Amino acid sequence: MATNVESRRNWQDLPDADGRFGQYGGRFVAETLMPLILDLERAYRAAQADPEFAATMQDFWTHYVGRPSPLYFAERLTDHYGAAKIYFKRDELNHTGAHKINNCLGQVLLAVRMGKTRIIAETGAGQHGVATATICARLGLPCVVFMGATDIERQKPNVFRMKLLGADVRPVTSGNATLKDAMNEALRDWVTNVHDTFYCIGTAAGPHPYPEMVRDFQSVIGREAREQILEREGRLPDALMACIGGGSNAIGLFHPFLNDEDVKLYGVEAAGFGLDVYNKHAAAINGGKPGVLHGNRTYLLQDDDGQILEGHSISAGLDYPGVGPEHSYLADIGRAKYLSCTDDEALEAFKLCARLEGILPALEPSHALARVGEVAQEIGKDGLIIMNLCGRGDKDVFTVADALGVTL
Amino acid sequence: MTRLSTRFAALKREGRAGLIAYIMASDPDHETCFEILRGLPGAGADVIELGFPFSDPMADGVSIQLAAQRALKAGGSLRKTLDLARRFRAEDQTTPLILMGYSNPVEQMGYDGFSRDMANAGADGAIIVDLPPEEDSPLRAAFAPNDLSIIRLATPTTDDNRLTKVLEGASGFLYYVSVAGVTGANAATSENVRAAVERIKRATQLPIAVGFGVRTPEAARAIAQNADAVVVGSAFVDEIAAGGSEQAVERVLRKVEQLSEAVRTARGQ
Ligand SMILES: Cc1ncc(COP(=O)(O)O)c(C=O)c1O
């Protein structure tokens, strides 16, 4: 656990000027991109200081995205486990069906401010791609989405949605043709189109200032949840839970609570076929070690030579060999705890939530749902848990049917 | 004097630019790669850049991406790369050899171990693509005791302020990336490159090598007019990819001869 010295620090003042969260984070990019990310940081600081930027965001949140998202008491799930009260932060009700749009909105508005005329993005599950394509359609900007060919196959509905929204979806066939390869390809595009292009990264990872910026845009989740639980229960929750892909929905929920040390933080990583099965899970913190990829130092799935492993998860949105640097830091100092959940456990949680609450969760938050019962027992009967239901499961019905042996 | 400074001084005396030849270690396999490596100086390479493979080469175009995949499939690694360097150095004590790649394999080996093993292998310096000046201080600290060079990159997006930062702590030579893009991409126009090289020359005494997108003798010849060296990579790597490994050695070395000839004779024309 955290040392006494560490536990008295201000958890919210990171990253430092070099983009570091302890040893994690940083700016590990090719020289061609350095001036661009320094410029992005300056533009972001200016936007942060501009009330008009905040007002524009607020307007879109209220009238376009549908914020605040409800804080919902999952009564039957709570009864099912018979322990702490379980609340869902319902970011799956956002326009486009996931938390991803919170971040896309912020980044694309920033791109417009910077005079950029072309947006690129990578996507795994397709949620970030759909959200980026949506905002680009709304703001009238061309949008190119890089997506691994494997993911295109397993997330067909989202691919079609992106196309309907006018995005140019580019299949990526290098490597294992999944999210990390899509990110490589987006970086290659950015380094080639430096003058007009803005790279809208979909999670709280990448070179500084992305992890900080994405976290800030997603922190609306935690700010709302804090206000809502205080109103509903008159006190702070005992625990927060969220699934971890790159970690953006989790850090968005956690960050406004970081200094409330009595609030326990639980991230849940994808354990795929099991943490003990080599290269068949996507749990960077539980099953990886620190290294450098995609512009930041963080926990990574890798071999002894530093080659990145592909990993595996049934959930395309969690199938990434890294994790945002702030999570690596929170794990090391013990402020947050990182659990894991296998494909099978996530499927069971998916089914349970559908039957008990009438909500089809995305496979990503199903991972967090799968651990909710145990955390509820640990916290006990009078406790309060908020779990980030960060996406809806419509996009996953084909994958789930397939896993259950059903032909649609 | 390091092997790099000795070689660049000699090029200057000869009044010509040098050819820096890039190949990927263990591509298409260790032994074929070694045969290519040992043949490079004879074919006219003045400096050798030996890539070490990485699974996620995000600054590379398709040619070098595929080279890394072939190398990894053949069992390539940073250790195997150092082993090739050591075998090369046992036969050739004068041709500078630098390593090029991404930081994660180096992070896993450890910066001090990397520096020590490079020195023992007789390698002369390194270009770590994703370690900009902001992030390379651990590497600089590790390289200093062994007198290894950190080769920094300047690009079309590097303005004068940034150039100052890039040049602080740079050694060996400065690598000018002639186009904003990945390796093997389209070439820059020769007027743009010429102007950039002149601008950088006003800011540093270091030799300037120009690369990215140089595939033909014509392009190499144009750059060799005022740059101190021309870097060619994808064009050689494509020769490896073009067919069987037996002919690969010959194909690559023939290509090196062609480009070397263009570079050597450029200023006489
Ligand atoms: C619904 C949903 N949840 C979670 C994730 C994982 O990303 P992160 O960990 O950044 O929230 C994704 C990614 O695509 C997603 O679509």
Side-chain angles (χ1 to χ4, degrees), chain A residues 98-100 125 127 203 243-249 317-318 362 364-365 390-391:
Chain A
H99 65 292
K100 297 285 179 187
Q127 287 304 110
T203 192
C243 65
I244 305 280
S248 70
N249 88 85
L318 304 184
E364 290 82 11
C390 59

Side-chain angles (χ1 to χ4, degrees), chain A residues 68-339:
Chain A
S69 69
L71 185 72
Y72 163 75
F73 174 43
E75 193 174 355
R76 294 195 68 214
L77 195 68
T78 299
D79 289 347
H80 177 79
Y81 291 119
K85 280 173 93 169
I86 300 162
Y87 280 89
F88 291 165
K89 179 61 176 161
R90 297 201 55 190
D91 258 54
E92 105 277 16
L93 293 177
N94 293 338
H95 180 39
T96 71
H99 65 292
K100 297 285 179 187
I101 197 159
N102 302 329
N103 166 47
C104 295
L105 179 61
Q107 286 197 49
V108 179
L109 286 175
L110 183 61
V112 171
R113 245 184 98 98
M114 293 174 74
K116 302 291 183 184
T117 53
R118 174 177 178 265
I119 307 294
I120 60 170
E122 85 295 337
T123 197
Q127 287 304 110
H128 175 62
V130 166
T132 310
T134 297
I135 301 292
C136 286
R138 172 60 185 79
L139 297 176
L141 288 168
C143 175
V144 176
V145 180
F146 294 94
M147 187 168 187
T150 307
D151 288 338
I152 287 186
E153 208 35 55
R154 60 177 169 174
Q155 302 285 339
K156 281 184 191 143
N158 272 345
V159 175
F160 188 55
R161 285 167 81 196
M162 286 186 269
K163 288 183 178 164
L164 289 173
L165 291 160
D168 174 4
V169 181
R170 305 244 179 109
V172 177
T173 51
S174 58
N176 210 39
T178 58
L179 181 53
K180 87 172 169 73
D181 309 295
M183 198 151 176
N184 290 334
E185 211 53 40
L187 285 163
R188 290 183 189 120
D189 181 293
W190 198 24
V191 88
T192 307
N193 298 290
V194 292
H195 296 297
D196 61 351
T197 296
F198 185 100
Y199 180 17
C200 180
I201 296 185
T203 192
H208 180 63
Y210 282 100
E212 175 188 351
M213 187 169 72
V214 175
R215 175 198 74 197
D216 293 349
F217 291 141
Q218 291 293 1
S219 289
V220 65
I221 301 172
R223 284 197 305 275
E224 286 175 7
R226 207 167 192 286
E227 219 171 90
Q228 289 165 322
I229 196 84
L230 285 173
E231 193 178 315
R232 286 287 284 278
E233 295 280 353
R235 70 173 182 92
L236 291 178
D238 299 289
L240 304 176
M241 298 187 70
C243 65
I244 305 280
S248 70
N249 88 85
I251 203 69
L253 177 64
F254 294 175
H255 195 258
F257 294 89
L258 283 185
N259 285 337
D260 303 306
E261 289 183 30
D262 295 333
V263 180
K264 294 187 172 132
L265 311 174
Y266 295 94
V268 183
E269 295 191 309
F273 295 141
L275 287 184
D276 49 356
V277 188
Y278 183 76
N279 203 8
K280 286 296 172 194
H281 62 78
I285 294 175
N286 282 290
K289 51 187 192 255
V292 171
L293 179 69
H294 294 153
N296 59 137
R297 182 180 288 121
T298 193
Y299 278 93
L300 297 172
L301 301 178
Q302 55 182 315
D303 68 13
D304 290 339
D305 185 41
Q307 306 301 332
I308 307 303
L309 299 177
E310 300 290 347
H312 159 81
S313 169
I314 189 172
S315 145
L318 304 184
D319 203 351
Y320 179 66
V323 61
E326 193 161 9
H327 288 292
S328 294
Y329 174 72
L330 294 174
D332 275 11
I333 62 171
R335 176 65 187 93
K337 207 168 165 176
Y338 294 85
L339 313 172

Side-chain angles (χ1 to χ4, degrees), chain B residues 94-108:
Chain B
T94 54
T95 306
L97 183 148
I98 58 177
L99 302 183
M100 181 166 186
Y102 294 82
S103 59
N104 199 47
V106 179
E107 287 248 329
Q108 300 316 309

